[in-house]
PDB file of all heavy atoms in Angstrom:
ATOM      1  N   LYS A 120     -33.531  15.309  20.400  1.00  0.00           N
ATOM      2  CA  LYS A 120     -33.925  14.635  21.633  1.00  0.00           C
ATOM      3  C   LYS A 120     -35.392  14.932  21.936  1.00  0.00           C
ATOM      4  O   LYS A 120     -35.909  15.995  21.588  1.00  0.00           O
ATOM      5  CB  LYS A 120     -33.043  15.098  22.802  1.00  0.00           C
ATOM      6  CG  LYS A 120     -31.651  14.491  22.762  1.00  0.00           C
ATOM      7  CD  LYS A 120     -30.934  14.728  24.072  1.00  0.00           C
ATOM      8  CE  LYS A 120     -29.640  13.938  24.101  1.00  0.00           C
ATOM      9  NZ  LYS A 120     -28.961  14.075  25.414  1.00  0.00           N
ATOM     10  N   PRO A 121     -36.089  13.975  22.582  1.00  0.00           N
ATOM     11  CA  PRO A 121     -37.519  14.186  22.874  1.00  0.00           C
ATOM     12  C   PRO A 121     -37.794  15.413  23.719  1.00  0.00           C
ATOM     13  O   PRO A 121     -38.786  16.098  23.517  1.00  0.00           O
ATOM     14  CB  PRO A 121     -37.901  12.898  23.648  1.00  0.00           C
ATOM     15  CG  PRO A 121     -36.868  11.880  23.241  1.00  0.00           C
ATOM     16  CD  PRO A 121     -35.609  12.660  22.999  1.00  0.00           C
ATOM     17  N   ASN A 122     -36.894  15.738  24.658  1.00  0.00           N
ATOM     18  CA  ASN A 122     -37.126  16.888  25.531  1.00  0.00           C
ATOM     19  C   ASN A 122     -36.632  18.200  24.933  1.00  0.00           C
ATOM     20  O   ASN A 122     -36.684  19.239  25.572  1.00  0.00           O
ATOM     21  CB  ASN A 122     -36.460  16.660  26.892  1.00  0.00           C
ATOM     22  CG  ASN A 122     -34.961  16.384  26.756  1.00  0.00           C
ATOM     23  OD1 ASN A 122     -34.420  16.453  25.650  1.00  0.00           O
ATOM     24  ND2 ASN A 122     -34.315  16.072  27.872  1.00  0.00           N
ATOM     25  N   GLY A 123     -36.116  18.129  23.704  1.00  0.00           N
ATOM     26  CA  GLY A 123     -35.657  19.340  23.033  1.00  0.00           C
ATOM     27  C   GLY A 123     -34.288  19.806  23.432  1.00  0.00           C
ATOM     28  O   GLY A 123     -33.833  20.870  22.988  1.00  0.00           O
ATOM     29  N   ALA A 124     -33.580  19.042  24.269  1.00  0.00           N
ATOM     30  CA  ALA A 124     -32.238  19.435  24.714  1.00  0.00           C
ATOM     31  C   ALA A 124     -31.252  19.307  23.557  1.00  0.00           C
ATOM     32  O   ALA A 124     -31.363  18.416  22.720  1.00  0.00           O
ATOM     33  CB  ALA A 124     -31.800  18.560  25.887  1.00  0.00           C
ATOM     34  N   SER A 125     -30.304  20.215  23.517  1.00  0.00           N
ATOM     35  CA  SER A 125     -29.306  20.205  22.447  1.00  0.00           C
ATOM     36  C   SER A 125     -28.158  19.268  22.810  1.00  0.00           C
ATOM     37  O   SER A 125     -27.796  19.139  23.975  1.00  0.00           O
ATOM     38  CB  SER A 125     -28.756  21.615  22.214  1.00  0.00           C
ATOM     39  OG  SER A 125     -28.150  22.098  23.397  1.00  0.00           O
ATOM     40  N   THR A 126     -27.626  18.614  21.809  1.00  0.00           N
ATOM     41  CA  THR A 126     -26.488  17.715  22.012  1.00  0.00           C
ATOM     42  C   THR A 126     -25.335  18.144  21.121  1.00  0.00           C
ATOM     43  O   THR A 126     -25.533  18.734  20.066  1.00  0.00           O
ATOM     44  CB  THR A 126     -26.864  16.263  21.670  1.00  0.00           C
ATOM     45  OG1 THR A 126     -27.359  16.206  20.324  1.00  0.00           O
ATOM     46  CG2 THR A 126     -27.914  15.722  22.620  1.00  0.00           C
ATOM     47  N   LYS A 127     -24.140  17.806  21.571  1.00  0.00           N
ATOM     48  CA  LYS A 127     -22.953  18.160  20.797  1.00  0.00           C
ATOM     49  C   LYS A 127     -22.867  17.285  19.559  1.00  0.00           C
ATOM     50  O   LYS A 127     -23.043  16.073  19.623  1.00  0.00           O
ATOM     51  CB  LYS A 127     -21.702  17.970  21.666  1.00  0.00           C
ATOM     52  CG  LYS A 127     -20.441  18.483  21.004  1.00  0.00           C
ATOM     53  CD  LYS A 127     -19.254  18.304  21.928  1.00  0.00           C
ATOM     54  CE  LYS A 127     -17.978  18.809  21.257  1.00  0.00           C
ATOM     55  NZ  LYS A 127     -16.800  18.635  22.145  1.00  0.00           N
ATOM     56  N   LEU A 128     -22.632  17.912  18.423  1.00  0.00           N
ATOM     57  CA  LEU A 128     -22.558  17.169  17.163  1.00  0.00           C
ATOM     58  C   LEU A 128     -21.277  16.353  17.093  1.00  0.00           C
ATOM     59  O   LEU A 128     -20.204  16.822  17.462  1.00  0.00           O
ATOM     60  CB  LEU A 128     -22.607  18.138  15.976  1.00  0.00           C
ATOM     61  CG  LEU A 128     -23.910  18.903  15.759  1.00  0.00           C
ATOM     62  CD1 LEU A 128     -23.749  19.873  14.606  1.00  0.00           C
ATOM     63  CD2 LEU A 128     -25.062  17.958  15.495  1.00  0.00           C
ATOM     64  N   SER A 129     -21.410  15.109  16.623  1.00  0.00           N
ATOM     65  CA  SER A 129     -20.231  14.282  16.400  1.00  0.00           C
ATOM     66  C   SER A 129     -19.585  14.685  15.083  1.00  0.00           C
ATOM     67  O   SER A 129     -20.151  15.457  14.302  1.00  0.00           O
ATOM     68  CB  SER A 129     -20.614  12.805  16.374  1.00  0.00           C
ATOM     69  OG  SER A 129     -21.450  12.536  15.262  1.00  0.00           O
ATOM     70  N   ALA A 130     -18.416  14.118  14.810  1.00  0.00           N
ATOM     71  CA  ALA A 130     -17.672  14.500  13.597  1.00  0.00           C
ATOM     72  C   ALA A 130     -18.452  14.186  12.338  1.00  0.00           C
ATOM     73  O   ALA A 130     -18.412  14.946  11.366  1.00  0.00           O
ATOM     74  CB  ALA A 130     -16.323  13.788  13.574  1.00  0.00           C
ATOM     75  N   VAL A 131     -19.194  13.054  12.334  1.00  0.00           N
ATOM     76  CA  VAL A 131     -19.917  12.670  11.116  1.00  0.00           C
ATOM     77  C   VAL A 131     -21.247  13.408  10.968  1.00  0.00           C
ATOM     78  O   VAL A 131     -21.918  13.262   9.945  1.00  0.00           O
ATOM     79  CB  VAL A 131     -20.169  11.145  11.103  1.00  0.00           C
ATOM     80  CG1 VAL A 131     -18.870  10.396  10.978  1.00  0.00           C
ATOM     81  CG2 VAL A 131     -20.930  10.708  12.339  1.00  0.00           C
ATOM     82  N   GLN A 132     -21.628  14.184  11.977  1.00  0.00           N
ATOM     83  CA  GLN A 132     -22.869  14.944  11.887  1.00  0.00           C
ATOM     84  C   GLN A 132     -22.642  16.405  11.497  1.00  0.00           C
ATOM     85  O   GLN A 132     -23.583  17.106  11.171  1.00  0.00           O
ATOM     86  CB  GLN A 132     -23.611  14.897  13.226  1.00  0.00           C
ATOM     87  CG  GLN A 132     -24.136  13.513  13.584  1.00  0.00           C
ATOM     88  CD  GLN A 132     -24.722  13.477  14.982  1.00  0.00           C
ATOM     89  OE1 GLN A 132     -24.244  14.176  15.875  1.00  0.00           O
ATOM     90  NE2 GLN A 132     -25.757  12.673  15.179  1.00  0.00           N
ATOM     91  N   LYS A 133     -21.390  16.821  11.520  1.00  0.00           N
ATOM     92  CA  LYS A 133     -21.092  18.219  11.227  1.00  0.00           C
ATOM     93  C   LYS A 133     -21.082  18.474   9.721  1.00  0.00           C
ATOM     94  O   LYS A 133     -20.444  17.748   8.972  1.00  0.00           O
ATOM     95  CB  LYS A 133     -19.729  18.599  11.810  1.00  0.00           C
ATOM     96  CG  LYS A 133     -19.679  18.580  13.332  1.00  0.00           C
ATOM     97  CD  LYS A 133     -18.294  18.926  13.827  1.00  0.00           C
ATOM     98  CE  LYS A 133     -18.217  18.886  15.352  1.00  0.00           C
ATOM     99  NZ  LYS A 133     -16.857  19.209  15.837  1.00  0.00           N
ATOM    100  N   PRO A 134     -21.786  19.498   9.271  1.00  0.00           N
ATOM    101  CA  PRO A 134     -21.742  19.836   7.839  1.00  0.00           C
ATOM    102  C   PRO A 134     -20.438  20.554   7.502  1.00  0.00           C
ATOM    103  O   PRO A 134     -19.744  21.074   8.370  1.00  0.00           O
ATOM    104  CB  PRO A 134     -22.942  20.761   7.672  1.00  0.00           C
ATOM    105  CG  PRO A 134     -23.103  21.395   9.022  1.00  0.00           C
ATOM    106  CD  PRO A 134     -22.698  20.358  10.030  1.00  0.00           C
ATOM    107  N   CYS A 135     -20.087  20.546   6.231  1.00  0.00           N
ATOM    108  CA  CYS A 135     -18.891  21.245   5.773  1.00  0.00           C
ATOM    109  C   CYS A 135     -19.122  21.737   4.354  1.00  0.00           C
ATOM    110  O   CYS A 135     -20.097  21.352   3.698  1.00  0.00           O
ATOM    111  CB  CYS A 135     -17.661  20.321   5.828  1.00  0.00           C
ATOM    112  SG  CYS A 135     -17.717  18.987   4.623  1.00  0.00           S
ATOM    113  N   ASP A 136     -18.217  22.604   3.862  1.00  0.00           N
ATOM    114  CA  ASP A 136     -18.384  23.146   2.509  1.00  0.00           C
ATOM    115  C   ASP A 136     -17.966  22.145   1.435  1.00  0.00           C
ATOM    116  O   ASP A 136     -18.069  22.424   0.246  1.00  0.00           O
ATOM    117  CB  ASP A 136     -17.579  24.447   2.351  1.00  0.00           C
ATOM    118  CG  ASP A 136     -16.103  24.235   2.672  1.00  0.00           C
ATOM    119  OD1 ASP A 136     -15.727  23.119   3.083  1.00  0.00           O
ATOM    120  OD2 ASP A 136     -15.333  25.195   2.502  1.00  0.00           O
ATOM    121  N   LYS A 137     -17.501  20.950   1.864  1.00  0.00           N
ATOM    122  CA  LYS A 137     -17.110  19.915   0.906  1.00  0.00           C
ATOM    123  C   LYS A 137     -18.221  18.891   0.690  1.00  0.00           C
ATOM    124  O   LYS A 137     -18.050  17.939  -0.075  1.00  0.00           O
ATOM    125  CB  LYS A 137     -15.862  19.171   1.413  1.00  0.00           C
ATOM    126  CG  LYS A 137     -14.723  20.077   1.869  1.00  0.00           C
ATOM    127  CD  LYS A 137     -14.087  20.796   0.716  1.00  0.00           C
ATOM    128  CE  LYS A 137     -12.873  21.607   1.211  1.00  0.00           C
ATOM    129  NZ  LYS A 137     -12.213  22.343   0.125  1.00  0.00           N
TER     130      LYS A 137
END
Side-chain angles (χ1 to χ4, degrees):
K120 285 192 171 184
N122 57 5
S125 60
T126 56
K127 187 178 179 180
L128 293 176
S129 65
V131 293
Q132 293 174 326
K133 294 178 181 179
C135 69
D136 56 356
K137 311 291 185 180

